[in-house]
Amino acid sequence: MVSSSVQDVVSERGLSRRDFLKFCSLMAGVLALPRPYMKRIEKALAAPARTPVIWLEFQDCAGCTEAFLRASRPTAAELILDVLSVDYHETIMAASGHRAEEAKQTSIDAGGYLLVVEGSIPSAEDGIYCCIGGRTALDILQEAAANALAVVSVGNCSSFGGLPKASPNPTEALSVMELVTDKPVLNLPGCPYNPVNLTATIVHFLTFGELPAMDSLHRPLFAYGARIHDNCERRGHFDAGEFVKEWGDEGHRKGWCLYQMGCKGPVTFHNCPAVRYNDGTNWPVASGHGCIGCSEPDFWEFGIYTTIELDAFTPPTTYAPVQIPAQSIDPTSTAVMGGLAGLAIGAAGAAAYQALSKPDENGDASSEEKE
Ligand code: SF4
């Protein structure tokens, strides 16, 4: 454990208390927590002694690590990970070779860390298709998971197998949750995952001492509790029967619905319309490409430009209802805020996040700070 608090590190880096409070507000917004919980987050992040993190990479493209490294807003997101002490991350750590492995072993022996896993795990031929330091990914994962407090899978590969698992799956790739069954496992699928959701998960863990409430696929409800389709900025065009028919046509130029171009938004659960990517800059549907369903299992088999059959929606003669997702809470991972943080993230969470993540143009303190 390290002794600095998030608030200490914010201060050391010359950022104001307002920055710290704004970060707390932002995280409460992402987690769809009611206003009183902002104080609890603030108190938790001001406390010293944080949890170390071990980050393992297996069959991956390092895209999730790239997303993690590109996170710069809110700036305190980086600070919280400094404070967490990322003890081992083979892509970004300064040490290499035996020294890197020793650092990992020291953390594993001490226990009490969060294990973050990126990439799927090959199981064919006893796992020889992914070896690091002469050991298979299977072996490394089992050892690291044994002393972890909890395991967080980032990206579709570690959550569901991802591209390595796509047919014909030559390495017999497996997800983390197929291999780790005696620890809480939380999935943050996406290709890549969104680092905002990892930061919010960690803030929840630090504040409440456990992982947030999840659906049956181990995805946190605050981030995956609503369909993309239900919060999409093009939804009005779907309901009006206004569809892009081919790339570059008039409907495409006018920002109409991309369903007929293969958009998977109606069957995909993720908070992309709210948090977007690249620090809230944009997301695929806003830039003119349909959702590819990257937070769902086996999305590589969907066919990116294949129009999906919709059982629950009949465009455009029947207006598509905004439906409550048919998901169940995983009883082993039900958190303190289970009922509250779940489906409320939809429009309310999106609005909160977008309002709070805007740059502070006029220098006003956040409303929470004024209280
Ligand atoms: S089908 Fe896709 S583009 Fe159209 S409203 Fe739904 S999510 Fe948006």
Side-chain angles (χ1 to χ4, degrees):
M1 295 277 194
V2 290
S3 58
S4 302
S5 69
V6 174
Q7 191 170 15
D8 291 341
V9 176
V10 167
S11 175
E12 285 165 12
R13 295 200 177 195
L15 298 174
S16 66
R17 176 162 171 75
R18 183 172 70 190
D19 294 321
F20 173 70
L21 292 176
K22 192 169 181 184
F23 173 72
C24 295
S25 300
L26 184 64
M27 288 297 103
V30 174
L31 290 164
L33 293 174
R35 194 181 186 83
Y37 281 90
M38 190 264 183
K39 289 287 177 196
R40 193 161 166 186
I41 291 174
E42 182 188 334
K43 191 175 172 188
L45 300 188
R50 306 256 73 94
T51 305
V53 168
I54 293 177
W55 184 306
L56 300 176
E57 286 184 71
F58 299 130
Q59 288 192 134
D60 70 325
C61 69
C64 291
T65 287
E66 289 291 337
F68 171 69
L69 293 175
R70 296 296 175 276
S72 61
R73 198 186 71 189
T75 53
E78 298 169 27
L79 303 178
I80 195 171
L81 292 166
D82 283 351
V83 171
L84 274 172
S85 178
V86 180
D87 290 354
Y88 181 89
H89 187 310
E90 62 185 51
T91 302
I92 62 174
M93 69 191 302
S96 61
H98 293 300
R99 288 200 173 167
E101 295 305 307
E102 283 168 18
K104 174 160 67 74
Q105 197 59 51
T106 300
S107 296
I108 290 174
D109 292 344
Y113 49 86
L114 266 183
L115 178 62
V116 177
V117 182
E118 178 180 357
S120 64
I121 301 94
S123 62
E125 299 189 50
D126 295 325
I128 61 168
Y129 293 113
C130 181
C131 292
I132 301 165
R135 297 172 60 197
T136 66
L138 273 172
D139 185 28
I140 294 169
L141 174 65
Q142 297 293 2
E143 181 195 47
N147 287 350
L149 293 171
V151 185
V152 178
S153 303
V154 294
N156 195 295
C157 296
S158 56
S159 299
F160 304 132
L163 180 60
K165 191 191 168 196
S167 179
N169 191 8
T171 67
E172 295 177 20
L174 297 174
S175 65
V176 170
M177 67 179 175
E178 290 177 282
L179 294 164
V180 178
T181 55
D182 59 348
K183 288 281 156 86
V185 176
L186 178 138
N187 290 328
L188 295 176
C191 194
Y193 86 114
N194 196 317
V196 169
N197 292 331
L198 176 62
T199 307
T201 296
I202 291 170
V203 166
H204 189 286
F205 186 79
L206 295 176
T207 303
F208 301 110
E210 54 190 337
L211 296 173
M214 302 180 228
D215 65 13
S216 58
L217 294 173
H218 292 220
R219 301 177 297 191
L221 287 170
F222 75 80
Y224 301 87
R227 283 187 181 91
I228 281 183
H229 187 65
D230 292 342
N231 290 308
C232 178
E233 58 223 53
R234 296 179 189 240
R235 175 61 184 264
H237 295 294
F238 177 93
D239 291 345
E242 296 172 337
F243 297 100
V244 177
K245 305 281 187 187
E246 69 180 62
W247 302 117
D249 69 7
E250 187 183 2
H252 198 212
R253 291 195 295 278
K254 287 181 172 175
W256 288 1
C257 174
L258 295 157
Y259 168 70
Q260 293 185 2
M261 304 304 289
C263 181
K264 307 299 183 297
V267 293
T268 302
F269 292 82
H270 208 171
N271 58 355
C272 300
V275 301
R276 302 184 166 216
Y277 279 85
N278 297 325
D279 289 340
T281 304
N282 211 342
W283 67 295
V285 168
S287 67
H289 192 286
C291 164
I292 63 172
C294 69
S295 58
E296 299 298 320
D298 302 324
F299 81 101
W300 287 104
E301 316 292 351
F302 289 172
I304 289 177
Y305 300 110
T306 303
T307 303
I308 47 167
E309 295 291 326
L310 297 181
D311 297 330
F313 309 88
T314 311
T317 52
T318 300
Y319 283 88
V322 177
Q323 295 201 330
I324 295 174
Q327 296 175 307
S328 59
I329 308 284
D330 180 344
T332 63
S333 59
T334 302
V336 173
M337 289 306 303
L340 293 171
L343 307 180
I345 188 60
Y353 178 83
Q354 288 176 353
L356 291 164
S357 64
K358 282 179 184 165
D360 214 359
E361 290 171 356
N362 58 11
D364 286 348
S366 68
S367 57
E368 285 77 6
E369 187 184 9
K370 289 174 182 171
E371 288 177 342

